[in-house]
Amino acid sequence: AVNAIEAIIRGRLVSSGTPVNFDTANSVTADITMSNIQPAFIDGYFGSQSLTLDPETFDFDLGEATIFENINFAEPKVTLGFHNTFGIPMEISSLDLDMTRDGNSASLDASSVIPFQILSGNISSPDIPVTSELILGNSTNIADLINIWPNVVTTGFDGAINPQGNTYNYALDTSKMDITIDLSIPLYARVSEFTIQDTIEIDSAMSQDFEFVKRASFRTNIDNGFPLEASVKLYITDENYVILDSLETSDASDVLINAATVDTTTGDVIADGYRQADLIADEDDVNLLKTSGNKLILSASLNTANSGANVKIYSFHKMEIKVGVLAKIFLEGELDLRNL
């Protein structure tokens, strides 16, 4: 019923050369005590036993979530790596994974990839870990967890050792199993109302540029290879950021950047988007641009224009922007045409 170690002690009498009297009260005893046993190596069959990793919570800092609040990733992937130097095969029968941020939480449904087998270490190279990778991808709901952009993760699992029955097991005093988490997020997503804003202060040099301008038109020609469109507003404010006026396009459309055309099935760009637009600054607008201390605020709202489907963004996508100014100026005084 228990493991036991048998100890056999043998002794012999050694003559001192002097007569010695013996009686029944004489005896030899041995008291054996074993403590702090640290086996360097054990092997055999360790049996089919349950295996439990109690839920553990840890920080999972992915950075500020603000910029991702309006982005919904389509194909994130989490890889759990089990790096095992124990000579024991294992099986995960249930996996708990919860992700949380600011009160929002989601739980993993991993039924499509569970049970999962963790391979045994190799006796011929016992210090080199054997890696088994559990991939949580499209067959699970891992996207629901990642899209809350978590900063806290709780994980645990239940399983068993030797799930296939009797097999050779071993363990060294250096054996261990490390678990790593790897996150991959391809830029395949939907973007909704992602706002970028910048402020330009009208200083004295800039106001002087408009000194003789009566009216102006800012023409943009934008060739866009990204599957994103942008609605752009240009506001003129006073020094306290109170909006005084805004520059409107001549065709009354706020969409200044047209999205590239996307294959709705694959999410890939198949043709660039092009748009020419004129932002009109009338006489009142120009007078505001002449006032040093006023500010120009550019606000752009980005969206994926693919009928609500996901789009893919690659490093080779590019955007070419050309801007020109057509201005009507007013000059007082004589103009000598001979010097022109």
Side-chain angles (χ1 to χ4, degrees):
V2 296
N3 293 324
I5 296 177
E6 181 182 27
I8 300 175
I9 300 175
R10 293 181 175 88
R12 67 187 181 91
L13 295 178
V14 179
S15 174
S16 65
T18 303
V20 177
N21 296 322
F22 287 91
D23 62 34
T24 57
N26 296 136
S27 66
V28 177
T29 62
D31 184 11
I32 300 174
T33 302
M34 303 182 69
S35 62
N36 299 320
I37 299 173
Q38 296 180 348
F41 178 84
I42 56 175
D43 67 346
Y45 174 52
F46 297 169
S48 180
Q49 304 181 43
S50 62
L51 177 68
T52 299
L53 178 67
D54 293 330
E56 181 179 358
T57 299
F58 56 93
D59 292 335
F60 193 67
D61 189 8
L62 295 175
E64 289 298 324
T66 305
I67 64 173
F68 296 103
E69 289 177 351
N70 302 109
I71 300 178
N72 189 277
F73 295 101
E75 293 184 355
K77 181 176 68 175
V78 170
T79 301
L80 297 177
F82 299 88
H83 313 283
N84 186 21
T85 58
F86 284 104
I88 311 171
M90 309 177 195
E91 179 181 88
I92 296 177
S93 57
S94 68
L95 174 65
D96 297 322
L97 183 64
D98 300 314
M99 295 189 176
T100 305
R101 187 180 189 96
D102 299 334
N104 295 324
S105 63
S107 299
L108 178 70
D109 177 2
S111 56
S112 61
V113 293
I114 296 295
F116 175 74
Q117 307 296 321
I118 300 175
L119 299 176
S120 169
N122 189 337
I123 189 62
S124 63
S125 52
D127 294 326
I128 299 177
V130 173
T131 297
S132 306
E133 291 188 341
L134 173 56
I135 297 175
L136 306 176
N138 286 343
S139 64
T140 72
N141 67 332
I142 191 64
D144 295 338
L145 282 68
I146 296 301
N147 280 318
I148 64 174
W149 209 242
N151 57 6
V152 175
V153 170
T154 300
T155 185
F157 64 79
D158 290 308
I161 69 171
N162 294 318
Q164 305 302 323
N166 197 327
T167 187
Y168 175 71
N169 302 147
Y170 70 87
L172 285 73
D173 57 354
T174 57
S175 295
K176 62 182 179 179
M177 183 170 68
D178 294 329
I179 303 175
T180 58
I181 297 181
D182 180 70
L183 172 64
S184 172
I185 305 180
L187 262 177
Y188 182 33
R190 296 192 305 274
V191 180
S192 175
E193 303 297 329
F194 179 50
T195 300
I196 300 173
Q197 186 166 294
D198 195 13
T199 300
I200 303 170
E201 184 168 352
I202 301 174
D203 57 18
S204 57
M206 185 174 179
S207 63
Q208 289 175 6
D209 290 338
F210 288 92
E211 181 179 358
F212 302 109
V213 175
K214 192 84 169 176
R215 292 189 300 274
S217 174
F218 299 88
R219 171 162 290 184
T220 61
N221 285 282
I222 301 175
D223 190 345
N224 179 25
F226 289 87
L228 302 171
E229 70 175 21
S231 299
V232 180
K233 297 291 289 186
L234 192 62
Y235 300 100
I236 306 174
T237 76
D238 65 13
E239 59 184 7
N240 297 315
Y241 297 94
V242 176
I243 295 177
L244 305 174
D245 206 346
S246 63
L247 302 186
E248 306 292 339
T249 59
S250 58
D251 60 5
S253 173
D254 289 339
V255 178
L256 202 62
I257 302 173
N258 282 344
T261 303
V262 176
D263 184 324
T264 57
T265 303
T266 65
D268 290 314
V269 169
I270 55 177
D272 286 4
Y274 178 79
R275 164 118 162 103
Q276 176 179 288
D278 293 324
L279 289 165
I280 306 301
D282 59 21
E283 191 168 349
D284 291 336
D285 294 327
V286 171
N287 288 332
L288 294 174
L289 294 173
K290 293 177 182 179
T291 304
S292 181
N294 282 354
K295 305 178 190 301
L296 278 172
I297 296 180
L298 176 69
S299 180
S301 179
L302 298 176
N303 294 274
T304 47
N306 192 27
S307 303
N310 296 297
V311 298
K312 294 178 180 177
I313 299 176
Y314 296 95
S315 58
F316 55 79
H317 286 161
K318 61 182 180 179
M319 182 186 301
E320 184 180 68
I321 302 175
K322 297 179 181 179
V323 181
V325 179
L326 177 65
K328 181 177 182 180
I329 62 174
F330 177 75
L331 294 174
E332 290 183 338
E334 295 182 355
L335 183 65
D336 190 350
L337 299 178
R338 292 173 299 176
N339 294 328
L340 296 180

